[in-house]
Amino acid sequence: MATARRSPAGRSTRPAGAWVTAGALALGLLVSAAGCAGTMSAADEDPGTTAAHPSTADARGEATLAAPETKDSPEPLVTASPDEHSEVGDLVEGFPIDLLPVPTDAVILVTSAVPVGDAEVQEVSLNLTTSATAEELLTLYRDALTGAGFTEVAPLTATTDLAVDSTFTRSGGDELVSIGVLDEDGVRTVTIGGRVHTTR
């Protein structure tokens, strides 16, 4: 067994072999720690990796990736069959064209003629664009409606942005038609709506 020797200054020194043994031991610990770190799995390094890919076990106990879930197709926004009481781009069947004529150059946007219960009454609407002037349009509908017994009444609002805003009634107010004409960029957009009898 090696014994400690004292240096000339009176301090003790260890044999050289003791320092070599201690250095070798420290190096061995470092190598062992590095080996443990190198054997870590990908799942240990990033726990979220396996969580992002759920798996199921097959009959042999082996893990397989689960198929992604599928969502049902969204419901269509537009029904396949059109409303039988309305027509886009044309006059719907039963529309009272004698009361509400269409200018010769008009582009029809949409029309409707909806029966009201069992009564001989229908709610009608007409939307179109035309190059006819506001005055020509008012004359067209005024002549057609007053000729059929309607009376023109003052609009409910005193001022409006519409070039034409007029209302016509008949049958003591039971029948009513409102006409509005918007004049914009050289094109008139006509909007007509009301309630009329079907047997006159």
Side-chain angles (χ1 to χ4, degrees):
M1 178 177 181
T3 58
R5 295 179 298 169
R6 292 189 178 274
S7 64
R11 292 174 296 180
S12 63
T13 60
R14 293 182 181 273
W19 294 110
V20 173
T21 303
L25 179 59
L27 180 60
L29 291 174
L30 289 174
V31 172
S32 176
C36 292
T39 58
M40 290 177 64
S41 66
D44 294 330
E45 294 176 1
D46 187 5
T49 303
T50 54
H53 301 283
S55 61
T56 56
D58 58 15
R60 296 172 297 176
E62 297 179 355
T64 57
L65 292 178
E69 296 182 0
T70 57
K71 296 182 179 180
D72 296 334
S73 300
E75 293 293 331
L77 298 178
V78 180
T79 56
S81 58
D83 185 350
E84 61 177 327
H85 300 301
S86 63
E87 188 75 35
V88 176
D90 203 352
L91 291 174
V92 68
E93 183 178 356
F95 186 83
I97 190 66
D98 54 330
L99 293 177
L100 303 173
V102 175
T104 55
D105 71 333
V107 176
I108 297 175
L109 303 177
V110 62
T111 61
S112 68
V114 182
V116 178
D118 296 331
E120 296 177 338
V121 176
Q122 60 182 357
E123 293 181 348
V124 298
S125 67
L126 169 63
N127 293 88
L128 59 83
T129 59
T130 177
S131 62
T133 66
E135 292 76 13
E136 290 172 341
L137 291 168
L138 179 57
T139 299
L140 173 67
Y141 292 111
R142 178 182 284 154
D143 290 349
L145 289 167
T146 57
F150 280 81
T151 301
E152 186 174 7
V153 297
L156 297 178
T157 55
T159 59
T160 178
D161 293 333
L162 297 175
V164 173
D165 184 8
S166 191
T167 302
F168 298 82
T169 64
R170 187 174 69 177
S171 304
D174 189 49
E175 296 178 275
L176 182 143
V177 174
S178 296
I179 300 174
V181 177
L182 177 64
D183 190 344
E184 190 174 39
D185 298 330
V187 176
R188 262 62 60 191
T189 302
V190 179
T191 301
I192 300 176
R195 181 182 64 254
V196 298
H197 293 170
T198 58
T199 57
R200 274 188 76 112

